[in-house]
Amino acid sequence: MQQNPNNRRRGEERNETLIIPHITKEMVETARRMAERGASRAEIEQAIAAMQAGKTPTEAESAAQKKPIVQPQATAAPARNTAAHSDTVIIPTSRPRYTAAERRAMLEEVQRRQAEREAERQKLAQEEESHFRTYRDREYGTNPPPRAAKSLADKPQPDATKSRTIRTSKPAADATRTVQVPQSELRAAAQKAAPAPQPVQPVQTTQQFIPESAQAPQIVPQTQPKPAVPAPEAAPKRRGPVGMPRTYAEAEAALNERIRADHIWLSNPVLVRGLGMAPVIGAALDGQRALMLCIAALILVTFTRVLAVAVCHLTKNRFRPVVYCYSAALLYIPTYILLYRLFGTDLSLLGIYLPIMVVEPAIVKRMEFADLEPVKDAFRHGFNNALGMCIVLLIVGCLRELLATGAVFGNVILHNALLPLAALPAGGFVIVGILAAVWCAAANLYTDYKHEEVRRLYADRKH
């Protein structure tokens, strides 16, 4: 009992019974005998049906010959060649049979498709290589890293003191004779045989001479031990702005380092890392206050880091927190004097947010790292952090002044205040939050694009 799957889809349950008739050896013999006599397919089927009904083979043959069943589409089976076949041959008809020409055409079609795929793959590889070169020239400059070329002096020279090995071929039936000849005798024989002295040429370690006589013995001279040749030292990997990474791991590490070192856009200390939010929200109410905070941040953040690193080099990186705090407090005095000369009494508008720059998180966070960086790198990193803070201070200050009063640095641009709440700390939180969300989304899209580009360029290379 088996359920029809077509009816199952419609929700109907029907049962079908498949009956397979039993065919005995007598039925097969009867069908073969009738086929040899030239009986049609319908007569053979009728005889088999009669035998299944209980009749004998003779009665079934006579009944089939008296009442043949003629089918309109059935054709008479050809006479069976008993000489060539001794049993029933079943020819499968589920798969069409192809001629030699059709097979040849199909093979040519398959080969043509493979050639097209190979040409397309080579074209894509060339495009990837050109894209890779463009990326290398854009990211690392037009000068490729010089490869360490082996000079002639580095290559192992052939040893002129080594003796030559002379081998002769002999028949397989004869035993091979080995004669040990000293090196001095070989040299004396060579000098006697030479017509004129020739300059000494370095010879190969092993040379084969096939003499005319097959009965010559095999001469193997006594060779001196080969001196140990020191292995060439591996050239150090070149790393720098010009060197191109060779593997995906190196390229990924270099990209992550560039993203981390970009303190202006991709790793902005305020909008991305959330450092120094108090002066931005509490004091950057307009463009003028933001400009005063920018100058203070440039001086304090940059030179505090440089001075602290220089002192830590002298003290062997001991008392690092104390050095950073005292360096910022020491530099605050000249910074305040400079700002007072530039802005006068307007400097009092900053309030407590100017002295709080001494403990700016962009300065204090560096104390967490135990490694001691060079003074040059300290100046570069400190200046990048301060520049990233200045950009955010100017953007937030000008935007809050424009939304609260409709002016920028005192110049009226809009006659109506769009958002008076921007002049309050609550408005500063809202503006900085929206700006940080947009900034981080753009930075993440760019970093994801760069990571995908590196992954695609190094997809076919060994990692």
Side-chain angles (χ1 to χ4, degrees), residues 182-199:
Q183 182 71 17
S184 59
E185 296 181 7
L186 283 178
R187 289 182 180 177
Q191 290 177 1
K192 291 179 180 180
Q198 299 292 336

Side-chain angles (χ1 to χ4, degrees), residues 227-423:
V229 179
E233 297 181 358
K237 293 184 179 180
R238 185 187 179 99
R239 291 183 178 273
V242 181
M244 184 67 185
R246 295 181 179 273
T247 61
Y248 171 74
E250 294 180 0
E252 188 78 9
L255 177 60
N256 292 332
E257 180 64 22
R258 290 200 302 271
I259 292 174
R260 188 191 65 81
D262 188 4
H263 300 291
I264 300 176
W265 304 110
L266 301 180
S267 296
N268 189 274
V270 179
L271 297 181
V272 178
R273 294 188 292 171
L275 303 177
M277 301 290 290
V280 177
I281 296 174
L285 302 178
D286 51 24
Q288 184 180 5
R289 300 182 188 184
L291 182 60
M292 290 187 288
L293 288 173
C294 285
I295 298 175
L298 279 174
I299 298 175
L300 289 175
V301 175
T302 303
F303 293 100
T304 298
R305 188 163 184 171
V306 173
L307 179 59
V309 168
V311 174
C312 286
H313 274 285
L314 297 177
T315 61
K316 305 300 182 181
N317 204 17
R318 291 193 293 264
F319 312 108
R320 188 172 59 255
V322 177
V323 170
Y324 271 87
C325 294
Y326 274 93
S327 299
L330 183 62
L331 289 174
Y332 174 75
I333 298 174
T335 303
Y336 183 85
I337 295 174
L338 178 61
L339 291 176
Y340 188 81
R341 290 294 183 92
L342 293 177
F343 300 101
T345 57
D346 293 339
L347 192 61
S348 60
L349 297 175
L350 298 179
I352 192 60
Y353 294 102
L354 181 60
I356 208 175
M357 295 287 290
V358 175
V359 289
E360 174 62 37
I363 301 175
V364 179
K365 186 174 178 58
R366 180 59 199 169
M367 295 187 302
E368 301 176 0
F369 301 96
D371 56 330
L372 189 59
E373 58 184 350
V375 178
K376 183 179 178 181
D377 293 345
F379 177 79
R380 179 168 56 87
H381 294 160
F383 182 78
N384 289 340
N385 275 301
L387 190 59
M389 290 185 61
C390 290
I391 292 175
V392 177
L393 284 169
L394 289 176
I395 292 176
V396 174
C398 295
L399 186 60
R400 293 176 70 177
E401 185 180 3
L402 178 63
L403 294 177
T405 62
V408 176
F409 286 102
N411 300 319
V412 178
I413 297 178
L414 301 176
H415 296 283
N416 297 325
L418 300 179
L419 185 64
L421 182 64

Side-chain angles (χ1 to χ4, degrees), residues 2-18:
Q2 184 178 4
Q3 186 177 355
N4 191 357
N6 297 328
N7 296 333
R8 189 189 309 167
R9 296 178 182 177
R10 295 193 298 265
E12 301 178 2
E13 296 183 358
R14 296 183 180 181
N15 296 330
E16 296 182 356
T17 303
L18 181 60

Side-chain angles (χ1 to χ4, degrees), residues 52-288:
Q52 291 176 352
K55 296 182 179 180
T56 61
T58 305
E59 296 176 355
E61 291 180 11
S62 60
Q65 292 177 359
K66 290 180 181 179
K67 298 180 180 180
I69 300 175
V70 180
Q71 297 182 358
Q73 296 181 355
T75 57
R80 181 179 178 82
N81 187 4
T82 58
H85 299 277
S86 60
D87 55 350
T88 305
V89 179
I90 300 176
I91 299 177
T93 58
S94 60
R95 185 174 58 185
R97 293 178 175 272
Y98 299 102
T99 61
E102 292 176 347
R103 294 196 194 96
R104 193 181 306 108
M106 293 171 62
L107 180 60
E108 293 176 356
E109 179 68 17
V110 171
Q111 293 177 353
R112 184 184 63 81
R113 292 180 181 178
Q114 291 179 353
E116 290 179 356
R117 287 195 295 267
E118 183 66 21
E120 184 178 359
R121 189 186 65 80
Q122 293 179 359
K123 182 179 179 181
L124 291 177
Q126 293 177 358
E127 293 179 356
E128 288 289 341
E129 186 66 24
S130 62
H131 190 191
F132 182 79
R133 292 177 180 175
T134 304
Y135 174 81
R136 178 191 61 189
D137 296 341
R138 185 176 70 248
E139 295 291 336
Y140 301 95
T142 56
N143 297 326
R147 295 185 178 179
K150 293 184 178 179
S151 61
L152 294 177
D154 297 335
K155 294 182 179 179
Q157 300 294 339
D159 191 1
T161 61
K162 291 183 179 179
S163 60
R164 291 185 290 180
T165 303
I166 304 175
R167 301 181 184 274
T168 59
S169 60
K170 293 186 61 179
D174 298 340
T176 303
R177 291 182 297 169
T178 302
V179 180
Q180 302 292 337
V181 180
Q183 182 71 17
S184 59
E185 296 181 7
L186 283 178
R187 289 182 180 177
Q191 290 177 1
K192 291 179 180 180
Q198 299 292 336
V200 179
Q201 299 290 339
V203 296
Q204 297 180 356
T205 304
T206 303
Q207 294 184 356
Q208 293 184 2
F209 297 89
I210 303 176
E212 296 180 358
S213 176
Q215 302 296 331
Q218 183 179 4
I219 302 176
V220 180
Q222 295 177 355
T223 58
Q224 299 179 359
K226 183 177 179 181
V229 179
E233 297 181 358
K237 293 184 179 180
R238 185 187 179 99
R239 291 183 178 273
V242 181
M244 184 67 185
R246 295 181 179 273
T247 61
Y248 171 74
E250 294 180 0
E252 188 78 9
L255 177 60
N256 292 332
E257 180 64 22
R258 290 200 302 271
I259 292 174
R260 188 191 65 81
D262 188 4
H263 300 291
I264 300 176
W265 304 110
L266 301 180
S267 296
N268 189 274
V270 179
L271 297 181
V272 178
R273 294 188 292 171
L275 303 177
M277 301 290 290
V280 177
I281 296 174
L285 302 178
D286 51 24
Q288 184 180 5

